[in-house]
Amino acid sequence: MSDKLYHECHEVISQGKAILEDLQQWGFETVNKNAIEVPVFDVSGPLKKSAPPVLPETLLGLERSLAGCHRCSLAEQRKNIVFGAGNPQARLLLVGEAPGHEEDVRGEPFVGEAGKLLDKILLAMNLSREEVYICNVLKCRPPENRDPQDDEIAACEPFLQQQLELIKPEVIVTLGRFAAHALLKTATPISKLRGQWHEYEGLPLMPTFHPAYLLRNPTGKRPVWEDMKQVMQRLG
Ligand code: URA
């Protein structure tokens, strides 16, 4: 079987499994979603164009390959997978931590209080949500909004890597420590990382504070604006 066909089969099976899960949630108790086994691809490690093509060719394909994901235990309590949203050709890509309650319900990133603040930051940069792309390190909500765990980050990481590979933004902004640590593979505190340019797979990356942190600590707004001014300068 060709890799392309294999991947298409994977997508179809994943979608079928997701539909069966929905039916089960709606009360069709005789449905056995485990009757279908979704093949698990090895999507670990940075993606190389020359590597066997397990990479979906589009963001939509990648999103579909996540349907019904059970790669970590967050699947048990989530309402929706929050894949990401925005312009697939965005010049600026922002990466947050994980969906919260509101995002879990709506299946969209940054639609709660932190999201409103993020909208204001974007507006001040003369950017709209439609122009940028926004996603998270984790695609499912951790219970009670607890911190992401290492195994959850590891399970979800290939999808973030593929989003970045497919979008290839001109600039990445990480919001908060988890996104910066996940992409930069460092444990340096966010207060030391922010405000300086870093690199992820050859792309410039600016770490800054998370909007949820700014809601609790408004004095962080000024440094974030300094960071965003550097981003605007870079984007010309
Ligand atoms: N916080 C995040 O990090 N991501 C969201 O999508 C919402 C809140």
Side-chain angles (χ1 to χ4, degrees), residues 171-186:
V171 173
I172 301 169
V173 168
T174 53
L175 304 167
R177 72 184 159 115
F178 283 98
H181 291 176
L183 290 181
L184 297 176
K185 301 290 172 221
T186 175

Side-chain angles (χ1 to χ4, degrees), residues 96-100 103 108-110 114 136 210:
E97 179 178 317
E103 289 79 19
E108 274 180 60
F110 282 98
N136 285 305
H210 194 288

Side-chain angles (χ1 to χ4, degrees), residues 172 174-199 205-209 223 227 230:
I172 301 169
T174 53
L175 304 167
R177 72 184 159 115
F178 283 98
H181 291 176
L183 290 181
L184 297 176
K185 301 290 172 221
T186 175
T188 305
I190 182 66
S191 55
K192 294 228 161 57
L193 292 171
R194 62 143 291 273
Q196 317 272 347
W197 285 106
H198 301 259
E199 213 178 276
L205 184 155
M206 174 61 73
T208 197
F209 293 132
D227 302 344
Q230 291 200 57

